[in-house]
Amino acid sequence: MKIDIDRVSVVTPETNIGDLVLFHPETAQILYDIGMHCLGCPASGAETVGEAASVHGIDPEQLTAVLNEAFTEKHS
C-alpha cells in the first residue's frame, strides 16, 4: 500500500497533529520550538492543531499560518 505523503496539504485548526507530523515530519521541529514538547505523548497524536495551540496559549490561526508557510517553502 502506498502512503500519499501529501495527505495533509493544508493545515487548519482541525488538522490532526498525529497526521501532520506523520506526513510532514519537518513540522515536528516547528511545534517543538514553540513549546509543544509533548509530541511523543499518546494524547498529542489525537489532538488537533487548534486544541494543542489552545492548551499552549498560542493563537491557532497564527500557528496554522506558520505551518502552512513551511509547506509552501518545502514544495516551492
Side-chain angles (χ1 to χ4, degrees):
M1 179 169 122
K2 180 181 180 284
I3 295 175
D4 182 4
I5 197 69
D6 288 327
R7 178 174 162 202
V8 177
S9 58
V10 175
V11 181
T12 69
E14 292 77 34
T15 300
N16 177 278
I17 290 204
D19 288 344
L20 177 65
V21 173
L22 174 66
F23 294 104
H24 298 282
E26 71 278 6
T27 61
Q29 189 62 52
I30 295 168
L31 297 171
Y32 190 83
D33 287 348
I34 61 172
M36 294 185 182
H37 302 147
C38 57
L39 292 177
C41 75
S44 72
E47 279 186 319
T48 66
V49 170
E51 291 167 340
S54 295
V55 166
H56 291 278
I58 299 167
D59 175 14
E61 295 301 324
Q62 184 179 13
L63 178 56
T64 57
V66 169
L67 293 166
N68 281 310
E69 184 177 320
F71 286 0
T72 303
E73 289 175 5
K74 180 182 175 189
H75 295 287
S76 56

